[in-house]
Amino acid sequence: MARIRLGMVGGGNDAFIGAVHRIASRIDDRFELVAGALSSTPEKAIASGQALGLDPDRTYANFTDMAKREARLKNGIEAVAIVTPNHVHYPASREFLKRNIHVICDKPLTSTMADAKKLVAAVEKSDALFVLTHNYTGYPMMRQARQMVADGDLGKIRLVQVEYPQDWLTEAAEDDGVKQAEWRTDPARSGAGGCVGDIGTHAYNLAGFVTGLRLEELAADLHSFVPGRLLDDNVNVMLRYEGGARGMLWSSQVAPGNENGLKLRVYGEKGGIEWTQADPNYLWFTPFGEPKRLITRGGAGSNAASQKGTRIPPGHPEGYLEGFANIYSEAADAIEAARAGKSSDALYPTVEDGLDGMKFIQACVASSKRNSAWLKL
Amino acid sequence: MARIRLGMVGGGNDAFIGAVHRIASRIDDRFELVAGALSSTPEKAIASGQALGLDPDRTYANFTDMAKREARLKNGIEAVAIVTPNHVHYPASREFLKRNIHVICDKPLTSTMADAKKLVAAVEKSDALFVLTHNYTGYPMMRQARQMVADGDLGKIRLVQVEYPQDWLTEAAEDDGVKQAEWRTDPARSGAGGCVGDIGTHAYNLAGFVTGLRLEELAADLHSFVPGRLLDDNVNVMLRYEGGARGMLWSSQVAPGNENGLKLRVYGEKGGIEWTQADPNYLWFTPFGEPKRLITRGGAGSNAASQKGTRIPPGHPEGYLEGFANIYSEAADAIEAARAGKSSDALYPTVEDGLDGMKFIQACVASSKRNSAWLKL
Amino acid sequence: MARIRLGMVGGGNDAFIGAVHRIASRIDDRFELVAGALSSTPEKAIASGQALGLDPDRTYANFTDMAKREARLKNGIEAVAIVTPNHVHYPASREFLKRNIHVICDKPLTSTMADAKKLVAAVEKSDALFVLTHNYTGYPMMRQARQMVADGDLGKIRLVQVEYPQDWLTEAAEDDGVKQAEWRTDPARSGAGGCVGDIGTHAYNLAGFVTGLRLEELAADLHSFVPGRLLDDNVNVMLRYEGGARGMLWSSQVAPGNENGLKLRVYGEKGGIEWTQADPNYLWFTPFGEPKRLITRGGAGSNAASQKGTRIPPGHPEGYLEGFANIYSEAADAIEAARAGKSSDALYPTVEDGLDGMKFIQACVASSKRNSAWLKL
Amino acid sequence: MARIRLGMVGGGNDAFIGAVHRIASRIDDRFELVAGALSSTPEKAIASGQALGLDPDRTYANFTDMAKREARLKNGIEAVAIVTPNHVHYPASREFLKRNIHVICDKPLTSTMADAKKLVAAVEKSDALFVLTHNYTGYPMMRQARQMVADGDLGKIRLVQVEYPQDWLTEAAEDDGVKQAEWRTDPARSGAGGCVGDIGTHAYNLAGFVTGLRLEELAADLHSFVPGRLLDDNVNVMLRYEGGARGMLWSSQVAPGNENGLKLRVYGEKGGIEWTQADPNYLWFTPFGEPKRLITRGGAGSNAASQKGTRIPPGHPEGYLEGFANIYSEAADAIEAARAGKSSDALYPTVEDGLDGMKFIQACVASSKRNSAWLKL
């Protein structure tokens, strides 16, 4: 099968997430990066393209040019990865979607709810696919967990405890020239949510992915601890799911000692599971009244859902990049099916998941402003 | 120094917490159990006294008789441990306090706020001491943490994350003749809080002990998952402390895989700490920007506060009973000082801590009824 | 049942292990310390007795006086705890054994093989019991493991990996006035083995306790790293057990970062177990081809053997002192049976275990001198 | 920089390690697979080439044809990855080396010492580089550790404890058609060592990589537990290093519960380190007398040596494939330098390391046959 021709918007030199997308796209060898509009600064876009070995002819100064020209090329890109700050997600996606180029877009969906809705509409109108990289759903043990919940191994779900603490914004990194910190704390580029948009959405999305439950309402208490910071850096939320499950979500960027502490715990009438992203190859499972079991990626007790996203034997740890690559591989499955005019059951986060995440951010911000009133999504 | 003569109310055969108090009182050899009203069932009281080797003459059918007679004996008890269901705490304490016999009482303070206030008044009137066994504050590493916070090692506190999940009430154990479950799920004996009173108060108390912060308001979402259960079995709370710290508290008795999962995390402007009760000899400490450090009881990095409650070298684990014994030893310090007509700086939970815990329970129940409105304590 | 009247030899102020024995004897309330020859220095013996609240009349200047007089008293001691440096174990035990006073003695058995054999003979001649406090066999999860091996849960045993690293002798603590270090590194008081006698024997004993296997031969490489140290401070041994199992034993007192790292792993044809003393309430069990299971003291999956030595529910950690207390409780079972003229099936380390440990030390030292030749025990 | 044109020998469909090499070569985008002799079965070689999207013209039936033709092509391969069973390593390497095509070869070096020496000679004669994929040396935290030892952070090294247990050969998988098991237990294809050659060499190599110490002599006890198995499946070794350090090495393939349990601990006069491959992003470091510190890949406390092999921020786990990719990236550094006629300080395992590993295997087998006599390497 020929590799999928991929373009990239954003992700120039020094950007963290662009490099991640490129590695993730390569791991299973189903994409080939052939074009890019890698920076909003033209010189940087060109230098970055050169550094990546792109054909200078396909290194673009902006995404509009890229979309227009690639759409006309005989072997133009079939898909584009959009890895810019949030406020660019919608305008960039639109240009490619309307030319029926598949979009693989970083999260959160957009910086505003208005953009989010327009993006949903753009996806509906397009023949192209839209894949949102809520990458943590790509971890094999999260797929294992999702299948176990669906299979009823935990019984009816009662409790969801999800947390995502980090510490890198404990001090005002945005004032020290840390680019990653600058745009993430800037409402114009990030949207109304700071920590809640950057990582709270990941936590929210992952909980929904695993449990299959829809959130009914939430009560949030957002706060910004660092003086002068415009967006929240700590997020406390209580959750009420359809069917009666309750939960809590905590995300923070000011919790020293937490590098990237995403952790999910789900408890049902018959059992519980626990997973932590920093050691992603393990899933704890306790059937009520029995000893805890440690299920490992690829090991005894692992199910088909986790084995699908597994490359190497148990005990040989896969990590963040392999989890991310699973999203790309699912996207490749879907794109290849589309090439063949078929549908697929590829499992990846969609524009609807993205809209749902935007509603979550919006509800958190609104609830917090209303002193933590319970709000529907 | 002669051992302190101790009596016990409750704690007959098969009671869990009575045996714990007795072992805790023996570990440092400063108390001697000499009298008891060990059960509300007279025959069981007698049989239990016999099993413990008590003088039959000092095995009482009820606590009132015991208080009256022991107060008149030349070598009557100097202190009494009250280890009954919650609704007996006040009436039993009252009888001993008014005879100036020191009281060491299990938590929560009482089953009703009215009783709690009367108990505070009774303590104020008495010359005797009142010690509440919020035993988790007796763990050396919690004393280490408290001292570190007080010393400013974490900087100004921003975040408190405390949780206390268990799983033993996942099914309706109270319908299966489990005595521990019966009274804990009975409002008449437990009070208005179920899980929140039984273990939520421990979590709340411990967070306050370590941080030294006063809670200003809370928003709670209590729920009972097991059909027919009258009291909450899951507790979600958001916290706002004086001075601006925020937090979350989760306690549950329906989370399969959690035996007794008390865990405290505190984050400040300069660093963070993490501790879990199941492995109590370790305290993680991360000064922001430095590697995590594992401070061990009695080991390098341990401070005077933790060393005081330490009996054996690091690597030789102390556990729950030793932590509990530290409360008894602090009580012994205070009682011996009182014998000598002196005051002491013994560190133990007081009746005010107990009242504060009752306010916490009350506020949680009330907030939950008002759809999680923020309420002052 | 009346408490067993206990005396103590050694264990004066500042001694670590004497205090441990006293607490262990109290935890289950079956012993009462009533006499002592607590130090070889008479003034210290008296001061220590006073500090412990012993009757001055029963505070002795030496163990011979104590044995003679207590044997004549109407309510003289029924048992004695011997907690001196190793070279005193035999002469002290002898005095009590010949007067039919039960002996509870610290390990290793003696400082010389000659003494060990004489002690075995003395026990054989006596009507009294001899209990050796290889305390790590008292941990509930080690009893769980022993029962599981006996039940065939692991199949035929193939591999034993046991290690016991510490770090407290990384530098020459014996030159800095650390009393614990002084006698442990002195051949006259410790015997021919340093680290191997102090903790290597614990590891060896525990492996035999759990597996029930007899060691056939060993090849050892002992070394002393700290300049001027007369006894080994690091012990590497390869093991061959009867029936074909192989193993390795490592013990060290110069391994920085290891406080008291006793760890046992046993693997058979059908499964494996792993246990670490620092977190003693957990036992990992992997049936081959299935997920690992975490068996907890008192929790799901725990068997009768571990439950017998359990006081409090799972999740409430018991520690070193409770494990030690289990040896005392087994001793109490045996002594009470002896009082009644009955035999018992109490499970405690015997003088034969002690002799076996001495043979292990001797064989390690001899093998090491012969450049690690395989030697029979 | 143009990608390095890579060929592959072995690694056809279903081979584990071939896929690993291909992913590892792609992660940092510095190689491009363009040719292959992917199986010793011609039909399988062709099918595998097709599956990988290779040009049919460059899919060869055997490595000799491939070496000959690629050497003549204008854009023939610059490097070849050899991922066959051990006995093919030498003959395949020879064909490429003599045509000055760089070789990246799996470990152990060869199946016989005679081949190993011939391979060393072949490398010496060639202008091409030879890289041996002792991939565990590619983990960033092992590079961190190596640098720390070199910097003296641990002081003079005293102890090396290295272990590598697995469990996949607990039963006779080689009789059940498991291809991986078949050749690994066949002396004709594996050589004289079974477990010792397959994974014992990894452990040995890693210990030498980190400590920089040369092994002087060893005493080994190899055993085969599974009836009918021709090669060892459990390896116990005692180690004596130059300069006086001692150590133990355990590797096993019959230890249930161990998936891939490579673990290294090194202790010196000033401190100790501990690392486990299953959680590779963490390195424990204890300066003697201070609390343990958890150094994380990319996090606080990480040094330049580990940061060089780091792609993503701390808390985003990298795994086995990224560690393996670091070997490929070092190889790329060296090959690019060679292109430019320069030397490089790229850090990768060499043919001498491979020869050293062969000597280790040979010495283990010989020592074991001589009843564990100490043998020089």
Side-chain angles (χ1 to χ4, degrees):
Chain A
M1 183 75 72
R3 293 193 196 100
I4 297 161
R5 297 180 302 278
L6 181 70
M8 181 167 278
V9 178
N13 294 340
D14 303 332
F16 154 58
I17 204 67
V20 166
H21 277 253
R22 288 191 294 268
I23 297 175
S25 74
R26 275 198 303 272
I27 280 181
D28 295 320
D29 203 23
R30 299 175 67 179
F31 290 88
E32 183 168 12
L33 184 67
V34 295
L38 300 161
S39 172
S40 51
T41 315
E43 307 77 51
K44 197 172 158 195
I46 290 164
S48 299
Q50 201 166 12
L52 293 175
L54 292 185
D55 182 345
D57 205 38
R58 298 176 80 177
T59 303
Y60 299 91
N62 62 69
F63 58 77
T64 312
D65 289 355
M66 174 167 152
K68 285 182 182 164
R69 182 155 179 272
E70 289 289 328
R72 288 194 307 260
L73 287 180
K74 191 186 165 202
N75 285 312
I77 58 172
E78 301 171 83
V80 66
I82 295 176
V83 296
T84 62
N86 307 343
H87 66 298
V88 183
H89 291 178
Y90 166 62
S93 294
R94 184 188 51 195
E95 294 306 309
F96 294 92
L97 287 169
K98 72 183 182 195
R99 293 174 177 88
N100 292 329
I101 293 169
H102 307 297
V103 172
I104 300 169
C105 181
D106 214 69
K107 43 54 56 189
L109 191 63
T110 56
S111 59
T112 68
M113 183 57 79
D115 274 4
K117 288 178 178 166
K118 286 189 272 184
L119 184 44
V120 171
V123 173
E124 276 167 11
K125 250 185 287 182
S126 174
D127 286 340
L129 302 165
F130 184 90
V131 175
L132 190 70
T133 53
H134 267 307
N135 60 291
Y136 296 111
T137 66
Y139 273 117
M141 300 323 280
M142 289 293 84
R143 298 180 163 223
Q144 167 95 20
R146 184 176 185 267
Q147 189 61 46
M148 289 172 70
V149 170
D151 289 348
D153 293 348
L154 278 67
K156 189 186 174 196
I157 301 306
R158 289 171 167 172
L159 300 175
V160 174
Q161 293 288 128
V162 63
E163 63 184 47
Y164 196 159
Q166 297 181 330
D167 65 5
W168 67 295
L169 295 178
T170 293
E171 297 178 352
E174 61 267 43
D175 298 342
D176 290 342
V178 179
K179 197 174 173 316
Q180 299 293 331
E182 279 171 19
W183 74 258
R184 278 187 175 77
T185 57
D186 174 6
R189 287 178 281 178
S190 269
C195 174
V196 70
D198 190 28
I199 58 174
T201 43
H202 268 310
Y204 168 73
N205 174 265
L206 189 65
F209 175 80
V210 167
T211 63
L213 294 178
R214 198 176 57 77
L215 189 67
E216 283 199 338
E217 54 181 355
L218 61 76
D221 189 28
L222 275 52
H223 196 69
S224 185
F225 281 101
V226 173
R229 184 165 289 163
L230 297 176
L231 293 173
D232 60 280
D233 51 25
N234 191 75
V235 176
N236 293 344
V237 195
M238 299 195 296
L239 309 167
R240 290 179 184 160
Y241 285 93
E242 64 178 355
R246 305 284 169 114
M248 300 182 92
L249 182 152
W250 171 49
S251 69
S252 183
Q253 293 174 320
V254 294
N258 293 280
E259 293 179 331
N260 196 45
L262 176 59
K263 180 176 181 176
L264 177 65
R265 293 176 286 182
V266 178
Y267 304 103
E269 294 182 354
K270 291 170 54 184
I273 52 170
E274 305 179 3
W275 178 80
T276 176
Q277 190 264 161
D279 290 313
N281 296 279
Y282 309 129
L283 180 73
W284 286 104
F285 170 48
T286 310
F288 180 62
E290 298 183 23
K292 276 195 177 191
R293 301 172 190 173
L294 187 60
I295 300 176
T296 58
R297 185 192 47 73
S302 65
N303 60 24
S306 65
Q307 285 164 12
K308 180 170 189 284
T310 290
R311 291 158 192 83
I312 48 176
H316 301 70
E318 296 194 20
Y320 177 91
L321 292 168
E322 287 77 24
F324 215 111
N326 282 339
I327 303 294
Y328 267 85
S329 281
E330 297 280 351
D333 285 349
I335 292 170
E336 291 176 0
R339 276 182 183 168
K342 295 182 186 161
S343 69
S344 83
D345 59 354
L347 181 62
Y348 56 80
T350 64
V351 76
E352 283 78 22
D353 293 320
L355 181 64
D356 188 48
M358 293 301 295
K359 289 179 183 168
F360 171 77
I361 298 170
Q362 178 179 258
C364 284
V365 172
S367 168
S368 190
K369 280 189 186 150
R370 292 176 51 191
N371 202 25
S372 313
W374 285 101
L375 294 184
K376 309 259 180 225
L377 246 61
Chain B
M1 184 75 73
R3 293 190 196 102
I4 296 162
R5 296 180 303 278
L6 181 70
M8 181 167 276
V9 177
N13 295 338
D14 304 331
F16 154 57
I17 204 67
V20 166
H21 277 252
R22 288 191 295 268
I23 296 174
S25 74
R26 275 200 300 274
I27 280 181
D28 295 321
D29 204 23
R30 298 175 67 179
F31 291 88
E32 183 168 12
L33 184 68
V34 295
L38 300 160
S39 172
S40 53
T41 314
E43 308 77 51
K44 198 173 157 194
I46 290 165
S48 298
Q50 202 164 11
L52 293 176
L54 292 185
D55 183 344
D57 205 37
R58 298 176 80 176
T59 305
Y60 299 91
N62 62 68
F63 59 75
T64 313
D65 290 355
M66 175 167 150
K68 284 181 182 166
R69 183 155 176 272
E70 289 290 328
R72 289 193 309 258
L73 286 180
K74 191 184 165 204
N75 284 313
I77 58 172
E78 300 170 83
V80 66
I82 295 176
V83 296
T84 63
N86 306 345
H87 67 298
V88 184
H89 290 177
Y90 166 62
S93 293
R94 182 187 53 193
E95 294 305 309
F96 295 91
L97 287 169
K98 72 183 181 195
R99 293 174 178 90
N100 292 329
I101 292 169
H102 308 298
V103 171
I104 299 169
C105 181
D106 214 69
K107 44 50 58 189
L109 190 63
T110 58
S111 59
T112 68
M113 184 57 80
D115 274 4
K117 288 177 178 166
K118 286 190 271 182
L119 184 44
V120 170
V123 172
E124 275 166 11
K125 250 186 286 180
S126 175
D127 286 339
L129 302 163
F130 184 90
V131 175
L132 191 71
T133 53
H134 267 307
N135 60 291
Y136 295 111
T137 65
Y139 272 116
M141 299 324 280
M142 289 292 85
R143 297 179 164 224
Q144 167 95 21
R146 184 175 186 267
Q147 188 63 46
M148 289 172 71
V149 171
D151 289 348
D153 293 349
L154 278 68
K156 191 185 174 196
I157 301 305
R158 288 171 168 172
L159 300 174
V160 175
Q161 291 290 126
V162 63
E163 62 184 48
Y164 195 159
Q166 297 181 331
D167 66 5
W168 67 294
L169 295 178
T170 292
E171 297 178 352
E174 60 267 42
D175 299 342
D176 291 342
V178 178
K179 196 173 171 318
Q180 299 293 332
E182 279 171 19
W183 75 257
R184 277 187 175 77
T185 58
D186 174 6
R189 287 178 281 178
S190 269
C195 173
V196 69
D198 191 28
I199 58 174
T201 43
H202 269 310
Y204 168 72
N205 173 265
L206 189 64
F209 176 80
V210 166
T211 62
L213 294 178
R214 198 175 57 78
L215 189 67
E216 280 197 342
E217 54 180 355
L218 60 77
D221 190 28
L222 275 52
H223 196 69
S224 185
F225 281 100
V226 172
R229 185 164 289 162
L230 298 175
L231 293 173
D232 60 281
D233 52 24
N234 190 76
V235 176
N236 292 346
V237 194
M238 299 194 296
L239 309 168
R240 291 178 183 161
Y241 285 93
E242 63 178 356
R246 304 284 170 116
M248 299 183 92
L249 181 151
W250 172 49
S251 69
S252 183
Q253 293 174 320
V254 296
N258 291 282
E259 292 179 332
N260 196 45
L262 176 60
K263 180 177 181 175
L264 177 65
R265 293 175 286 182
V266 178
Y267 304 103
E269 295 181 354
K270 292 170 53 184
I273 52 170
E274 305 179 2
W275 179 81
T276 175
Q277 189 266 162
D279 291 313
N281 296 279
Y282 309 128
L283 180 73
W284 286 103
F285 170 48
T286 310
F288 180 62
E290 298 183 23
K292 277 196 179 195
R293 301 174 190 170
L294 187 60
I295 300 176
T296 59
R297 184 192 48 73
S302 65
N303 60 24
S306 65
Q307 285 164 10
K308 180 169 189 284
T310 290
R311 292 158 192 82
I312 49 177
H316 301 71
E318 295 194 20
Y320 177 90
L321 293 168
E322 287 76 24
F324 214 113
N326 282 340
I327 304 294
Y328 266 86
S329 281
E330 298 280 352
D333 285 348
I335 292 171
E336 290 177 1
R339 273 182 186 170
K342 295 181 187 162
S343 68
S344 83
D345 60 353
L347 181 62
Y348 56 80
T350 65
V351 76
E352 283 77 24
D353 293 320
L355 181 64
D356 188 49
M358 293 301 295
K359 289 179 183 168
F360 171 76
I361 298 170
Q362 180 179 257
C364 284
V365 171
S367 169
S368 190
K369 280 189 185 150
R370 293 177 51 191
N371 202 26
S372 313
W374 285 101
L375 294 184
K376 309 258 180 225
L377 244 62
Chain C
M1 183 76 72
R3 293 191 195 102
I4 296 162
R5 297 180 302 278
L6 181 71
M8 180 167 278
V9 177
N13 295 340
D14 302 333
F16 154 57
I17 204 68
V20 166
H21 277 253
R22 288 191 295 267
I23 296 174
S25 74
R26 276 199 301 273
I27 279 180
D28 295 320
D29 204 22
R30 298 174 69 179
F31 291 88
E32 184 168 12
L33 183 68
V34 294
L38 300 161
S39 172
S40 52
T41 313
E43 306 77 52
K44 197 172 158 195
I46 290 165
S48 299
Q50 203 164 10
L52 293 175
L54 292 185
D55 183 343
D57 205 37
R58 297 176 81 176
T59 304
Y60 300 92
N62 62 69
F63 59 76
T64 313
D65 289 355
M66 175 167 152
K68 284 182 183 165
R69 182 156 178 271
E70 288 290 329
R72 287 193 309 260
L73 286 181
K74 192 185 165 200
N75 283 314
I77 59 172
E78 301 171 83
V80 66
I82 295 176
V83 296
T84 62
N86 306 344
H87 67 298
V88 183
H89 290 178
Y90 166 61
S93 293
R94 184 187 52 194
E95 294 305 308
F96 294 92
L97 287 170
K98 72 183 180 194
R99 293 175 176 89
N100 292 329
I101 293 169
H102 307 298
V103 171
I104 300 169
C105 182
D106 214 70
K107 47 49 58 188
L109 190 62
T110 57
S111 59
T112 68
M113 183 57 80
D115 274 4
K117 289 179 178 165
K118 285 189 272 184
L119 184 44
V120 172
V123 172
E124 276 167 10
K125 249 185 286 182
S126 174
D127 286 340
L129 302 163
F130 184 91
V131 175
L132 191 71
T133 52
H134 267 307
N135 59 292
Y136 296 110
T137 67
Y139 272 116
M141 299 324 279
M142 288 293 84
R143 296 178 164 225
Q144 167 94 21
R146 183 175 185 267
Q147 188 63 46
M148 289 173 70
V149 171
D151 290 348
D153 292 348
L154 278 68
K156 190 185 173 195
I157 301 305
R158 288 172 168 171
L159 301 175
V160 175
Q161 293 289 128
V162 63
E163 62 183 47
Y164 196 159
Q166 297 181 332
D167 66 4
W168 66 295
L169 295 178
T170 293
E171 298 178 352
E174 61 268 42
D175 299 341
D176 292 342
V178 178
K179 196 173 173 313
Q180 299 292 331
E182 279 171 19
W183 74 259
R184 278 185 174 79
T185 57
D186 175 6
R189 287 178 281 179
S190 268
C195 175
V196 70
D198 191 29
I199 59 175
T201 43
H202 269 310
Y204 168 73
N205 174 264
L206 189 65
F209 176 80
V210 167
T211 63
L213 294 177
R214 198 176 57 78
L215 188 67
E216 281 198 340
E217 53 180 356
L218 60 76
D221 189 29
L222 275 52
H223 196 69
S224 186
F225 281 100
V226 172
R229 185 165 288 163
L230 297 175
L231 294 173
D232 61 279
D233 52 26
N234 191 76
V235 176
N236 292 346
V237 195
M238 299 195 296
L239 309 168
R240 291 179 183 159
Y241 285 93
E242 64 178 356
R246 304 283 169 115
M248 299 182 93
L249 182 152
W250 171 49
S251 69
S252 184
Q253 293 174 321
V254 295
N258 292 280
E259 292 178 333
N260 196 45
L262 177 59
K263 180 176 181 176
L264 177 65
R265 293 176 286 182
V266 178
Y267 303 103
E269 294 181 354
K270 292 170 52 185
I273 52 169
E274 305 179 3
W275 179 80
T276 175
Q277 189 267 161
D279 290 314
N281 297 278
Y282 308 128
L283 180 73
W284 286 103
F285 170 49
T286 310
F288 180 62
E290 297 183 24
K292 276 195 178 195
R293 301 173 191 173
L294 186 60
I295 301 176
T296 58
R297 185 192 48 73
S302 65
N303 60 25
S306 66
Q307 285 164 10
K308 180 169 189 283
T310 290
R311 291 160 193 81
I312 49 176
H316 301 70
E318 296 194 21
Y320 177 91
L321 293 167
E322 287 76 24
F324 215 111
N326 282 340
I327 304 293
Y328 267 86
S329 282
E330 297 281 352
D333 285 348
I335 292 170
E336 290 177 1
R339 274 181 185 169
K342 294 181 186 162
S343 67
S344 83
D345 60 353
L347 182 62
Y348 56 81
T350 65
V351 75
E352 283 78 23
D353 293 320
L355 181 63
D356 189 48
M358 293 301 295
K359 288 178 183 168
F360 171 76
I361 298 170
Q362 179 179 257
C364 284
V365 171
S367 169
S368 190
K369 281 191 184 148
R370 292 176 52 189
N371 202 25
S372 313
W374 285 100
L375 294 184
K376 309 258 178 225
L377 244 62
Chain D
M1 184 76 72
R3 293 191 197 101
I4 297 162
R5 298 180 301 279
L6 181 70
M8 180 167 278
V9 177
N13 294 340
D14 302 333
F16 154 56
I17 203 68
V20 166
H21 277 253
R22 288 191 294 269
I23 297 175
S25 74
R26 275 199 302 273
I27 280 181
D28 296 320
D29 204 24
R30 299 175 67 179
F31 291 88
E32 183 168 13
L33 184 68
V34 295
L38 299 160
S39 172
S40 51
T41 313
E43 307 77 52
K44 199 173 157 195
I46 290 165
S48 299
Q50 202 165 12
L52 293 176
L54 292 186
D55 183 345
D57 205 38
R58 297 176 81 178
T59 303
Y60 300 91
N62 61 69
F63 59 77
T64 312
D65 289 355
M66 174 167 153
K68 285 180 182 165
R69 183 157 177 270
E70 289 289 329
R72 289 193 308 260
L73 287 180
K74 190 185 166 201
N75 284 314
I77 58 171
E78 302 170 81
V80 67
I82 296 176
V83 296
T84 63
N86 306 344
H87 67 298
V88 183
H89 291 177
Y90 166 62
S93 294
R94 185 187 49 194
E95 295 304 309
F96 294 91
L97 288 170
K98 72 184 182 194
R99 292 173 178 90
N100 291 331
I101 292 169
H102 307 297
V103 172
I104 299 170
C105 182
D106 214 68
K107 46 49 58 187
L109 190 63
T110 57
S111 59
T112 67
M113 183 58 78
D115 274 4
K117 288 178 178 167
K118 286 190 273 182
L119 184 45
V120 171
V123 173
E124 276 168 11
K125 249 184 287 180
S126 174
D127 286 340
L129 300 164
F130 184 90
V131 175
L132 190 71
T133 53
H134 266 307
N135 60 291
Y136 296 111
T137 66
Y139 272 117
M141 299 323 278
M142 289 292 85
R143 296 177 166 225
Q144 167 94 21
R146 183 174 186 268
Q147 189 62 46
M148 289 173 70
V149 171
D151 289 349
D153 292 348
L154 278 67
K156 191 186 172 196
I157 301 305
R158 288 172 167 169
L159 300 175
V160 175
Q161 292 290 127
V162 63
E163 62 184 48
Y164 196 159
Q166 297 180 332
D167 66 5
W168 67 295
L169 295 177
T170 292
E171 297 177 351
E174 61 267 43
D175 299 341
D176 291 340
V178 178
K179 196 175 172 316
Q180 298 293 333
E182 279 171 19
W183 74 259
R184 279 186 173 78
T185 58
D186 174 6
R189 286 178 282 177
S190 269
C195 175
V196 69
D198 191 28
I199 58 174
T201 43
H202 269 310
Y204 168 73
N205 174 265
L206 189 65
F209 175 79
V210 167
T211 63
L213 293 179
R214 198 177 56 79
L215 189 67
E216 281 199 339
E217 54 181 355
L218 61 77
D221 189 29
L222 274 53
H223 196 70
S224 184
F225 281 101
V226 172
R229 184 165 289 164
L230 297 176
L231 293 174
D232 60 280
D233 53 24
N234 190 76
V235 176
N236 292 345
V237 195
M238 299 194 297
L239 309 168
R240 290 179 183 159
Y241 285 92
E242 64 177 355
R246 305 284 169 114
M248 300 182 91
L249 181 152
W250 171 49
S251 69
S252 183
Q253 293 174 322
V254 295
N258 292 282
E259 293 178 331
N260 197 44
L262 177 59
K263 180 176 181 175
L264 176 65
R265 294 174 286 182
V266 178
Y267 304 103
E269 294 182 353
K270 291 170 53 185
I273 53 169
E274 306 180 2
W275 179 80
T276 176
Q277 189 265 161
D279 290 314
N281 297 279
Y282 309 129
L283 179 73
W284 286 104
F285 170 48
T286 310
F288 179 61
E290 296 183 25
K292 276 195 180 196
R293 301 174 191 172
L294 187 59
I295 299 176
T296 59
R297 185 192 47 73
S302 65
N303 59 25
S306 65
Q307 284 163 11
K308 179 169 190 284
T310 290
R311 291 158 193 81
I312 48 177
H316 301 70
E318 296 194 20
Y320 177 91
L321 293 167
E322 287 77 24
F324 215 111
N326 283 339
I327 304 293
Y328 267 85
S329 282
E330 297 280 352
D333 285 348
I335 292 168
E336 290 177 0
R339 276 181 184 169
K342 295 182 186 161
S343 68
S344 83
D345 60 352
L347 181 62
Y348 56 80
T350 65
V351 75
E352 283 78 23
D353 293 319
L355 180 65
D356 189 47
M358 292 302 293
K359 289 179 183 169
F360 171 76
I361 297 171
Q362 179 179 257
C364 284
V365 172
S367 169
S368 191
K369 281 189 184 150
R370 292 176 53 190
N371 202 27
S372 312
W374 285 101
L375 294 183
K376 308 258 178 225
L377 243 62

